[in-house]
Amino acid sequence: MMETLITGVVLAGGQSRRMGANKALLAVGREKVIETIIGAMSAAVQDILIAANEHTADAYRELGREIACDRFPGQGPLSGIHAALHAVKTSWIIVAACDMPFVSPELFLFLRKIVAEEERPHAEEENVQAVIPLEDGRAQPLLAAYHISALPELEDALHAGRLRMTDWLNMLRVRYIAEETLLQETGIDAGHVFFNMNRPEDYRTAVEKQGDGEAGGC
């Protein structure tokens, strides 16, 4: 069986207005958050690129990764996924928002496993175009996998100004991964791994959590 080729994508094009600083470059523990994400992705993908906007791109040059700039500036995470799907040479991407400091290699390897399953021929139905985990019943589309075939619907949504992720996902064939399945397969606590930082208080919480972990806490 041929290996499924996947590109990892860090979505780092946001304005970080509520944080007041570039979230991707904040340090949680010994690394910047974006470095943690890239390290966690590495075992599961063939290459990693950063989706950014023209105003933030220079901040990521030192990471030595390809940078895909938004073709629809100011249109939120959909524009980052769009830029990535245009730039990659693989059929699948696995994306992660740049403000998730507790992502783990096990999560990305699990998504890779599901993607490989979906690449097998299905006799009775078309293959899915997105693989999205759930946390507390809520979809987590900013830590998920997408197939290149989802690009036309994404462009339609962006041209029409329909910027809600759910509107786009409703146009796709999606496989949702239950939180219980994630726990059983990987031992991952979804509430921890999907924690994201939007405000300064979230960042302080992340630093405290990381400190507890390094000290041997849960």
Side-chain angles (χ1 to χ4, degrees):
M1 181 183 299
M2 294 184 62
E3 181 183 17
T4 301
L5 300 181
I6 305 172
T7 301
V9 177
V10 184
L11 299 173
Q15 299 297 318
S16 300
R17 291 189 182 93
R18 284 180 287 175
M19 183 65 74
N22 189 328
K23 296 182 288 186
L25 301 180
L26 294 174
V28 176
R30 299 181 179 90
E31 294 183 313
K32 298 172 183 175
V33 175
I34 194 168
E35 294 172 332
T36 297
I37 296 169
I38 288 173
M41 275 184 170
S42 296
V45 299
Q46 280 63 49
D47 194 14
I48 296 173
L49 63 80
I50 299 169
N53 61 60
E54 61 181 11
H55 302 295
T56 61
D58 286 344
Y60 308 123
R61 303 287 182 197
E62 64 180 26
L63 296 171
R65 302 287 177 174
E66 179 183 353
I67 298 174
C69 286
D70 293 343
R71 295 172 176 231
F72 290 84
Q75 302 303 301
L78 285 183
S79 64
I81 297 173
H82 175 267
L85 286 172
H86 260 287
V88 298
K89 299 176 178 65
T90 57
S91 295
W92 282 90
I93 62 173
I94 293 178
V95 308
C98 68
D99 60 356
M100 292 183 167
F102 303 128
V103 294
S104 69
E106 292 80 10
L107 175 60
F108 294 117
L109 288 168
F110 177 67
L111 285 173
R112 177 183 179 82
K113 174 186 172 185
I114 300 300
V115 164
E117 291 176 0
E118 291 299 334
E119 282 291 271
R120 299 170 188 165
H122 290 65
E124 298 181 356
E125 56 185 19
E126 295 182 272
N127 289 21
V128 304
Q129 297 169 287
V131 177
I132 301 181
L134 300 173
E135 189 264 317
D136 196 24
R138 296 187 297 270
Q140 299 294 326
L142 300 186
L143 213 170
Y146 297 98
H147 191 266
I148 191 70
S149 64
L151 185 55
E153 288 87 355
L154 179 51
E155 289 199 338
D156 288 346
L158 286 164
H159 280 298
R162 299 191 303 271
L163 304 182
R164 293 196 309 172
M165 292 288 298
T166 52
D167 290 343
W168 174 47
L169 295 179
N170 286 338
M171 302 168 68
L172 305 179
R173 298 183 299 277
V174 180
R175 177 173 174 180
Y176 291 99
I177 307 299
E179 184 172 347
E180 295 79 8
T181 301
L182 189 63
L183 179 61
Q184 291 169 4
E185 294 287 332
T186 67
I188 288 173
D189 175 359
H192 180 70
V193 78
F194 291 115
F195 177 87
N196 67 303
M197 308 180 308
N198 285 311
R199 302 160 298 177
E201 52 265 40
D202 299 327
Y203 176 53
R204 289 192 292 270
T205 298
V207 171
E208 292 168 1
K209 286 176 176 286
Q210 181 69 19
D212 289 343
E214 291 179 350
C218 58

